[in-house]
């Protein structure tokens, strides 16, 4: 069964608020094994809402409409749904009584405009409101269905759980569709481009046994959508692993590789994800080394924390180019006080010379980065010293162009190493890219516990 989400509200189109409801619904529909191929956003205009609903019903089995159920003149979702159903609106006195009781319980008098919220398309079923005033609606349109819920996120989520999901599951049973779950896992990588990852994994992706989940209704021809759904195409577990793979370039958070599977239950989905993750890690490691630094919400700082904690190491930083960004990311990790000794933001050259013991000379250089890393270890009493120096721009410094970065890493008992690279972008992007690249270097080097640094 395919469900489309239509978010109503001119404020969404103007960028005044983010459409978190569609993202939430996409995630929870997928978790229930229900496909969501399209999402739309439409302003508070009767004609355009009707068009959006008819478009959605033409290519999907059902629609969830969020927003436009309030008491004001621009809340016109009810009227639009009634036109699509070709039925009149009827005032439901039980809803009037419920709204009036809510106002009375708060010591207030219901406004006459709230009566509009009791207008229900003829033939629709009400989803009772428990947290606000506007009820939700379940509106049959032929053999398809339109659900309408308020735009207030916690009201929407409550009605989805109490009204929409049970109704959807019942419809799926009546259609003879099996239920299940659609689950995803995201592998976070740093060190390869999106196109590079796609090339490395191309043969594996081509070999996956992927097929759309069966549906009683024929699949419509592909057509563009105003906003692509975050919900994945459903897939069936097969000989090739039953997974789909997608890539998402996430700027300073690296490139994400999303694995999606469909299975009968959570345990089966988890097993499929485990198997596919292992395959992908093996392929990527063979091609580019240990470029996967985290899973799902694990950021680079969590990976560094894990690498330090394995051997009970502490770290101290000396930051010039990044101005404290690296240490700021590290303190995001709960328990950072156990392994983070501190940071010296040595932005001025004389601070590098006087505090860290950097020899007087160019401060954007391999020698400076090495001395900064060793100075950070010494001054902060840490097992690991990490130093970042470079040129954020827009002007060159010490004969080096903007985007030049030197990262020094001093580890107790090992030779200090310096890595030089160039990153693109303006000042902010150079500093952010340098930060994650430096932290990833720490993660990789500490992960090679049995190998000496060269």
């Amino acid at each position: 069964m395919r469900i489309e989400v239509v978010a109503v509200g001119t404020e969404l189109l103007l960028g005044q608020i983010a459409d978190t409801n569609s993202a939430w619904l996409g995630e929870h529909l997928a978790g229930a094994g229900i496909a969501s191929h399209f999402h739309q956003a439409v302003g508070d205009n009767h004609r355009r809402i009707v068009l959006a609903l008819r478009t959605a019903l033409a290519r999907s089995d059902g629609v969830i409409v969020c927003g436009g159920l309030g008491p004001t003149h621009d809340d016109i979702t009810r009227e639009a749904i009634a036109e699509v159903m070709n039925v009149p609106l009827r005032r439901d006195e039980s809803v009037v009584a419920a709204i009036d009781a809510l106002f009375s319980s708060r010591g207030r008098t219901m406004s006459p405009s709230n009566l509009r919220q009791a207008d229900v398309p003829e033939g629709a079923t009400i989803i009772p409101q428990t947290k606000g005033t506007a009820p939700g609606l379940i509106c049959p349109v032929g053999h398809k269905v339109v659900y309408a819920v308020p735009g207030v996120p916690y009201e929407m989520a409550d009605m989805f759980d109490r009204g929409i999901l049970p109704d959807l599951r019942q419809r799926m049973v009546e259609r003879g569709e099996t239920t299940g779950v659609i689950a995803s896992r995201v592998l976070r990588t740093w060190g390869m481009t999106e196109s590079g990852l796609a090339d490395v994994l191309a043969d594996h992706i081509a070999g996956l046994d992927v097929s759309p989940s069966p549906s009683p209704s024929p699949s419509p021809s592909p057509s563009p959508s105003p906003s692509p759904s975050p919900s994945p195409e459903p897939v069936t577990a097969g000989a090739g692993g039953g997974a789909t793979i997608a890539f998402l370039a996430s700027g300073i958070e690296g490139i994400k590789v999303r694995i999606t599977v469909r299975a009968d239950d959570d345990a089966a989905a988890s097993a499929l994800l485990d198997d596919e993750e292992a395959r992908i890690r093996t392929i990527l490691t063979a091609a580019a080394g240990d470029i996967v630094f985290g899973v799902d919400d694990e950021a680079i700082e969590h990976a560094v924390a894990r690498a330090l904690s394995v051997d009970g190491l502490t770290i101290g930083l000396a930051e010039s180019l990044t101005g404290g960004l690296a240490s700021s990311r590290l303190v995001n990790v709960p328990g950072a006080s156990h392994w983070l000794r501190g940071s010296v933001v040595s932005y001025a050259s004389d601070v590098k010379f006087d505090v860290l013991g950097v020899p007087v000379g160019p401060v954007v250089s391999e020698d400076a980065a090495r001395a900064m890393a060793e100075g950070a270890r010494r001054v902060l009493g840490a097992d690991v010293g990490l130093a970042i120096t470079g040129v954020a721009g827009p002007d060159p410094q010490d004969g080096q162009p903007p985007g030049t970065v030197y990262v020094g890493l001093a580890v107790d008992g090992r030779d200090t190493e310096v890595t030089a690279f160039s990153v693109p972008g303006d000042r902010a992007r150079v500093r952010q890219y340098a930060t994650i690249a430096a932290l990833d270097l720490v993660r990789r080097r500490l992960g090679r516990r049995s190998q000496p640094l060269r």
Side-chain angles (χ1 to χ4, degrees), residues 326-359:
S327 52
S328 178
R329 290 195 64 157
L330 291 176
V331 298
N332 285 335
V333 182
S337 59
H338 295 297
W339 43 264
L340 177 61
R341 292 287 297 168
S343 177
V344 177
V345 181
S346 53
Y347 207 71
S349 295
D350 58 348
V351 175
K352 298 179 180 68
F353 305 149
D354 299 339
V355 176
L356 296 173
V358 175

Side-chain angles (χ1 to χ4, degrees), residues 13 50 65 96 113 136 138 173 281 289 302 316 356 410 416 446 451:
L13 301 180
V50 169
V65 187
V96 174
S113 63
I138 302 176
V173 170
R281 282 181 180 269
H302 297 97
L356 296 173
T416 301
L446 295 185
Q451 302 178 27

Side-chain angles (χ1 to χ4, degrees), residues 114-441:
N114 285 104
L115 292 173
R116 297 185 65 247
Q117 296 178 294
D119 291 342
V120 177
E122 190 172 84
T125 301
I126 291 169
I127 304 175
Q129 174 67 265
T130 61
K131 300 180 180 298
T133 55
L137 301 170
I138 302 176
C139 308
V141 184
H143 64 281
K144 300 188 177 185
V145 62
V146 174
Y147 303 100
V149 291
V152 180
Y154 63 85
E155 295 181 27
M156 175 276 300
D158 175 62
M159 290 189 185
F160 177 83
D161 291 335
R162 288 189 297 107
I164 295 177
L165 190 54
D167 187 76
L168 278 174
R169 283 176 169 156
Q170 180 59 38
R171 289 174 184 272
M172 292 175 72
V173 170
E174 292 172 357
R175 291 159 59 102
E177 293 186 27
T178 58
T179 59
V181 297
I182 299 174
S184 294
R185 182 174 299 171
V186 174
L187 304 184
R188 294 181 171 222
T189 73
W190 183 262
M192 286 189 72
T193 63
E194 183 177 8
S195 58
L197 284 169
D199 288 344
V200 169
L201 292 170
D203 290 343
H204 176 65
I205 294 171
L208 290 173
D209 180 20
V210 179
S211 60
S213 61
S215 174
S217 58
S219 298
S221 299
S223 59
S225 170
S227 175
S229 165
S231 299
E233 293 283 339
V235 295
T236 304
T244 58
I245 297 175
F247 304 95
L248 176 63
S250 302
I252 60 171
E253 296 302 328
I255 309 296
K256 297 175 181 176
V257 181
R258 187 190 67 204
I259 311 165
T260 304
V261 300
R262 182 170 187 170
D264 291 337
D265 52 42
D266 290 333
S270 181
L272 285 172
L273 289 172
D274 289 345
D275 181 66
E276 189 59 29
E277 178 184 345
R279 293 170 186 263
I280 291 175
R281 282 181 180 269
T282 298
I283 295 170
L284 293 180
T285 300
D290 183 21
I291 66 170
V292 178
F293 66 79
V295 177
D296 291 334
D297 294 330
E298 293 176 340
I300 191 66
E301 53 265 30
H302 297 97
V304 173
R306 187 165 53 248
L308 289 164
S309 299
V310 165
D311 285 337
L313 300 175
T314 59
I315 189 170
L317 292 84
E319 300 187 59
S320 178
L321 165 72
T322 49
L325 285 177
S327 52
S328 178
R329 290 195 64 157
L330 291 176
V331 298
N332 285 335
V333 182
S337 59
H338 295 297
W339 43 264
L340 177 61
R341 292 287 297 168
S343 177
V344 177
V345 181
S346 53
Y347 207 71
S349 295
D350 58 348
V351 175
K352 298 179 180 68
F353 305 149
D354 299 339
V355 176
L356 296 173
V358 175
V360 175
V363 294
V364 182
S365 67
E366 179 177 337
D367 289 342
R370 179 178 290 104
M372 287 172 64
E374 293 171 350
R377 274 199 65 228
R378 182 181 64 255
V379 171
L380 297 170
D383 300 307
V384 178
L386 174 66
I388 311 170
T389 185
V391 186
D395 301 319
Q397 182 180 352
D398 290 340
Q400 303 285 1
T404 300
V405 180
Y406 288 93
V407 176
L409 185 63
V411 181
D412 187 21
R414 301 182 182 182
D415 294 335
T416 301
E417 70 166 320
V418 177
T419 300
F421 50 88
S422 179
V423 294
D426 56 17
R427 284 180 61 86
R429 290 173 67 83
V430 168
R431 295 172 64 234
Q432 293 281 6
Y433 277 125
T435 295
I436 186 171
L439 293 177
D440 187 63
L441 179 66

Side-chain angles (χ1 to χ4, degrees), residues 37-60:
H37 294 181
F38 300 94
H39 286 188
Q40 297 185 64
V42 61
D44 301 308
N45 177 279
H46 180 90
R47 180 177 59 83
R48 289 192 285 270
I49 296 173
V50 169
L51 176 61
L53 290 173
R54 286 177 173 160
T55 300
L57 288 169
R59 62 192 178 192
S60 302

